[in-house]
């Protein structure tokens, strides 16, 4: 049995569910899951539907064309189709903090994700030992004041070479240029160590300590050209007390950061996320 | 605009979604939400679909008949249809602990539920003051060793008189007879003050204290003839520590009990719960 | 048996615990609980100690004087002593949203708090029905553009008349003047319907919806002259999804608001909170 | 600066806190943290106190003797003293599931624990690859129906050889004999994949699925001779829905299991746990 996942965004016209499910039934497909959401404010319809077929008579491209016909070639519509057997290629970029990287690679080693990880990029040489541990190609870039554009160009080349589908910033403490970001729109996942929109930017744990908050959080989001303002994927928090100094916040925060980022990678790789108007629709 | 909610359980044949959504589209209905679940183990399909119509051309009974036709009168199928404007009648039964009762009535007073509460039944006279506060008819039954059957018969009469759809046991410390239960199958919600199946029966906080657990919980479930074994609706817990004596567990537990019970009442009254094989399917 | 609670803040000199516990032992007291915290950054020591005595040979004032002697009359030290039998007087101020008010009064009715509630103040007449339900004196103030000072003066008079110890703003949608605030420093508890410092000011649920966050929160804090910037007491959150419109956020948020505010009232009334440098130390 | 941790259990006589803190002050120690708890039901007093000294004038043994004097050699008292610089030796025993093992070793690699891990023992050869990855000695035991005693004897020998202080059962699917357990009383931490006391024994996820619970949990506890009945250290849960089949429960449960076990290892290695009457007192 093979399975196919389809993500659809389109104007909310009546009948999309009925048309798509009718197509699947007619083609002897068996619906495994169907999630839909109507954004009434914007008059938009979103759906994730997964079905299995014994033999794939139509190619993905042919199905896409048929679905476009069903939606009358609405220019606002987006149709994304994936075979479950397609494992996306994810690059990891990280700086010196290794807990998120370690968590991703540990899960990858135990086959928890349905992805390939062809390379790890870092601006810190110390990360190489972890990459080696898990036998993944590692690229070090010595970022300086004046070489950011060159470095990013080389990184983009690498992404092409390895056929990268999406990127995880596993505590990558560099701001990517709008050019870089535009190459991977809604395909770069960042983990920010606060409950956004609170404590945007550098040193959120220090800011949280200073404000005397009673919770700390972590937020994963797609990177856009505006700092920490991209569509939010996941947010999680833990309770803290006055007893936590900055060092303890950093330590406790690591737990949130790594589990949040791995959760976001899971959701993205399973094609559960749609982006519309700087917000995410997530079908869990 | 009027809205209709339909709950369907049937054998998992291909095409149910397509047939139902097609019907709604043809009848100028607008789907507000659709949730479906396939139980592959048992080959069963479950759906909750809510749609709005400008004018209701067909009666609920006519729609039910049409849906039955669409499902080829499968004897395993169940179709429940409700108009959103139908407010179910809920009875409350409680003993001397008043926190759950108070929570339900407070929410009712602030119109948080879409229900009517025509009566409160208790085996403790002290509850009457709360019933009076919220101006709800109160019935006291003096339960003794030998009058249980008579009392239940009178209670069942009352339920008929007030046209009761479902019952909340808001810390009602009496075991209902199989006869009583059978009259309201899957329509009696109980709150048990532990995370079931742990600590079944009396004094769960004492048992939790003795075992030295680090969480305590509350479970809402539909009442069946087997004690604390009915289909679970909600479960919630809080962390505790060695510092909590039984008295503190009781106090903390109240928070869980009342919020869990009110949550279950909300889910039930919004027709979000299906029961199959002693388990619930809940479409939130 | 009577019990006494002492809250101490002072410079972190060695020996405070030993001196205080020695005093209690010498005076035949029995320590019920002792919590202490050292803020190393600021060199400050904080303690909450509760003990019981069979007969109170020394008055609270005499104990205070003795403790001041033990701390060598350090001008930075603060010593607050309370008899457990002293029930503080709490005023409630609220606007038209009634869920927090209802929650507080329901708990009060069931004797969950160790407080008195001598009066309720509102700028909305509709609140009076709830005050009457629970038989608590109600004062309505018709706030206009130009009468804020007069209204506050009258309110302060009322607080004096009723011997008010602290105030709960149970969704009071007015900003109190610095003059009012100064009269009840660290004794006015506000509930703000976001996880501060995110979404300060008006309409936080609308802002949360717009940003597309995946959690919403509630924060209780002591009111200071700066809006939503006072020392935080409690913060709590719930997970939300793209399916929640503003109306659902408001509805779900109510649960957080009322439980958070009641929790803060409990902590404050049990003398568990110390304030230092715009942050709280809470001994639970 | 060196720091010392002392765990004390004794009869609840007045004055213990004052005596111990007085000793520390007299010896120029600086109290870093003090947590105490009185079990009124059993008349027992428990304390964890941590202090720092510039130079350690007295040996740990000398301090122990002095403290015993302060407690008048009460035979019910227990005094455990540790230098912070003492890193305990932890052995890991596991079967074929690798997620807990991987989590522990990843954290160890990133120096999150203050422990040494001298060896890993397994009844599955497949675990060796993970042990090798992190360069830790690995011992395989081919457990059969009739060699359990011999295997355990060899394992106990290994524990002696490596000077093991405590053992983590990282999903070790074998029941240890009372003899083995008695050698490491309150020093063997097990992770059980349910919220105990529910679903004791084998296949708890299957049992949870069958019962239709809405939460699943994980429990860490010290191993005793009675199955899954030892003193509970941590418990954690996640919400689930009807959509989770057994496979998804197993997958989601892994997250709980590994974080719970690592949390328990952290608490144990930081000497935060006291055991009394089959329950734990944990000073976080």
């Amino acid at each position: 049995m093979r399975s196919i996942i389809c993500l659809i965004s389109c104007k909310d016209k009546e009948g999309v569910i009925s048309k798509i499910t009718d197509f699947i039934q007619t083609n002897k497909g068996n619906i495994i899951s169907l999630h839909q959401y109507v954004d009434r404010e914007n008059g938009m319809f979103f759906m994730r539907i997964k079905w299995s077929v014994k033999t794939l008579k139509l190619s993905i491209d042919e199905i896409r064309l048929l679905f476009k016909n069903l939606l009358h070639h609405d220019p606002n519509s987006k149709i994304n189709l994936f075979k479950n057997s397609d494992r996306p290629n994810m690059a990891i970029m990280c700086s010196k903090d290794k807990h998120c990287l370690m968590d991703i690679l540990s899960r990858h080693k135990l086959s928890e994700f349905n992805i390939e990880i062809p390379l790890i990029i870092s601006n810190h040489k110390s990360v190489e030992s972890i990459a080696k541990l898990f036998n993944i190609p590692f690229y070090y870039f010595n970022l300086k004041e004046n070489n950011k554009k060159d470095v990013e160009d080389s990184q983009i080349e690498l992404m092409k070479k390895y056929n990268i589908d999406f990127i995880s910033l596993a505590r990558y403490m560099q701001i990517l240029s709008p050019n870089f970001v535009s190459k991977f729109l809604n395909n770069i996942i960042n983990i920010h160590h606060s409950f956004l929109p609170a404590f945007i930017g550098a040193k959120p744990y220090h800011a949280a300590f200073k404000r005397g908050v009673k919770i700390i959080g972590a937020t994963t989001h797609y990177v856009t050209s505006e700092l920490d303002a991209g569509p939010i994927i996941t947010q999680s928090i833990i309770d803290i007390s006055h007893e936590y100094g900055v060092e303890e916040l950093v330590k406790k925060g690591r737990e949130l950061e790594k589990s949040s980022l791995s959760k976001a990678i899971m959701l993205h790789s399973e094609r559960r996320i749609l982006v519309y108007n700087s917000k995410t629709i997530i079908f869990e």
Side-chain angles (χ1 to χ4, degrees), chain A residues 130-142:
Chain A
I130 307 295
K132 271 192 174 163
L133 199 67
F134 292 92
N135 210 18
I136 293 181
F138 176 80
Y139 294 86
Y140 165 70
F141 289 93
N142 186 10

Side-chain angles (χ1 to χ4, degrees), chain A residues 8 10 207 260:
Chain A
I8 293 180
C10 64
S260 295

Side-chain angles (χ1 to χ4, degrees), chain A residues 6-234:
Chain A
C6 180
L7 295 176
I8 293 180
S9 321
C10 64
K11 282 278 158 204
D12 179 30
K13 290 175 204 147
E14 289 149 3
V16 177
I17 299 175
S18 137
K19 283 171 185 167
I20 301 285
T21 56
D22 202 52
F23 162 87
I24 293 168
Q25 189 196 5
T26 308
N27 285 271
K28 310 287 178 203
N30 190 28
I31 295 170
I32 294 170
S33 65
L34 180 161
H35 295 93
Q36 60 96 44
Y37 167 64
V38 175
D39 174 348
R40 270 161 227 297
E41 204 182 5
N42 296 297
M44 289 294 292
F45 173 85
F46 305 92
M47 183 162 71
R48 180 184 189 267
I49 185 161
K50 185 175 177 179
W51 69 96
S52 59
V53 283
K54 274 176 198 147
T55 51
L56 204 62
K57 286 175 196 163
L58 297 165
S59 74
I60 289 292
D61 287 339
E62 287 168 321
I63 298 172
R64 186 181 295 109
L65 193 59
L66 278 161
F67 280 12
K68 275 189 188 288
N69 282 333
L70 291 179
L71 301 181
H72 306 295
H73 296 273
D74 172 358
N76 293 301
S77 70
K78 277 188 203 166
I79 297 169
N80 282 300
L81 282 150
F82 309 92
K83 281 187 278 187
N84 206 37
S85 53
D86 291 344
R87 292 162 65 91
N89 288 320
M90 179 181 86
I92 302 174
M93 298 176 81
C94 71
S95 294
K96 69 180 177 199
D97 280 322
K98 299 179 190 73
H99 55 284
C100 286
L101 176 68
M102 189 66 124
D103 192 62
I104 296 167
L105 297 180
S106 297
R107 290 170 186 273
H108 185 56
K109 176 90 185 169
L110 299 180
S111 305
E112 293 184 17
F113 297 126
N114 189 33
I115 58 172
E116 303 291 341
I117 304 180
L119 84 160
I120 295 166
I121 286 171
S122 183
N123 58 330
H124 284 262
K125 274 189 177 162
S126 65
V127 171
E128 187 161 18
S129 64
I130 307 295
K132 271 192 174 163
L133 199 67
F134 292 92
N135 210 18
I136 293 181
F138 176 80
Y139 294 86
Y140 165 70
F141 289 93
N142 186 10
L143 268 160
K144 293 174 189 168
E145 290 252 326
N146 56 358
N147 70 348
K148 186 172 166 177
K149 176 146 186 10
D150 291 351
V151 162
E152 283 201 348
D153 286 347
S154 308
Q155 290 171 342
I156 291 168
E157 274 311 300
L158 272 174
M159 300 299 178
K160 279 184 193 158
K161 181 187 154 192
Y162 283 102
N163 204 17
I164 292 304
D165 294 299
F166 75 107
I167 300 167
S168 282
L169 305 186
R171 299 294 311 264
Y172 186 60
M173 301 287 93
Q174 298 293 323
I175 294 173
L176 297 169
S177 74
N179 175 53
F180 190 112
V181 171
S182 70
K183 299 262 186 287
F184 295 93
L185 194 63
N186 297 332
N187 280 305
I188 306 173
I189 300 172
N190 185 42
I191 171 77
H192 182 73
H193 40 311
S194 79
F195 43 85
L196 288 176
F199 309 128
I200 286 170
K203 294 197 174 288
Y205 291 129
H206 288 77
F209 176 75
K210 206 181 157 205
R211 179 62 185 91
V213 289
K214 298 297 183 186
I215 52 174
I216 55 167
T219 304
T220 59
H221 63 93
Y222 288 120
V223 176
T224 58
S225 53
E226 191 182 341
L227 183 65
D228 297 333
I232 291 171
I233 303 168
T234 65

